Amino acid sequence: MRSKTKIYPLAAAICYTVFGVYIAVELVGPNFRCGYYFAAFWDTLFFCGLIGLAAAHVFRSKKAAIAAAGAIVLYRVYRLILWFCAWNLFGLLSAAALLLILILAQKGSAAVKKLWFVPEVLMFIMQIVYMQVKRLLSPTMRWGNLMI
């Protein structure tokens, strides 16, 4: 049983790290190269939040996880202000739910056992909405197809 308690945080840390590297390659790097320093700042904040969550899982630091989740919430607020749409709204809700779960876990609340899945469900909804909008806005489609 002890080995499983080490495997799950390690798996989460690997996922956060892979996503963080993706963000660095696809968003942070191109924004810096193009001179979009304001956007690069926010993308770097998101990258730091993801890597911070990875480190918090490996070192089992609840305070570091709360700080990293707070950085992700700030990034999601920026994204929602930048472009108010359904997937950014669900992204903010999922990040805020993760931060709330971490704060409740820090305080030892029993609600964490009942609500642990909420951030993941909201993130899943965000991805579904994003994929549908991306499909609708694909350059291979005609604009007439948007009139549904």
Side-chain angles (χ1 to χ4, degrees):
M1 187 59 94
R2 180 90 173 132
S3 64
K4 284 186 180 179
T5 61
K6 291 183 179 180
I7 294 291
Y8 294 133
L10 183 61
I14 290 170
C15 291
Y16 282 123
T17 302
V18 168
F19 190 40
V21 168
Y22 171 79
I23 294 299
V25 170
E26 291 294 321
L27 296 177
V28 176
N31 281 336
F32 271 119
R33 281 193 299 277
C34 293
Y36 303 133
Y37 300 115
F38 188 72
F41 164 77
W42 288 100
D43 294 334
T44 303
L45 180 70
F46 187 46
F47 167 78
C48 291
L50 292 171
I51 298 303
L53 279 174
H57 276 79
V58 170
F59 297 114
R60 297 174 184 245
S61 172
K62 291 179 183 177
K63 290 181 182 180
I66 290 171
I72 292 174
V73 167
L74 286 176
Y75 172 78
R76 291 294 178 185
V77 167
Y78 160 73
R79 293 290 301 176
L80 190 64
I81 291 169
L82 183 68
W83 191 8
F84 188 83
C85 60
W87 77 74
N88 283 335
L89 181 62
F90 280 109
L92 175 60
L93 290 174
S94 69
L98 175 63
L99 181 60
L100 180 64
I101 294 291
L102 291 171
I103 291 170
L104 290 175
Q106 177 79 15
K107 295 187 180 289
S109 175
V112 174
K113 293 181 181 180
K114 297 176 183 174
L115 301 174
W116 64 268
F117 63 91
V118 172
E120 289 81 8
V121 169
L122 292 170
M123 186 62 70
F124 180 72
I125 293 169
M126 181 192 92
Q127 292 300 327
I128 296 296
V129 170
Y130 176 74
M131 287 187 299
Q132 293 303 314
V133 170
K134 189 175 179 182
R135 182 183 62 84
L136 285 174
L137 297 178
S138 173
T140 60
M141 295 187 69
R142 294 188 357 232
W143 283 103
N145 291 341
L146 290 176
M147 302 294 203
I148 297 175

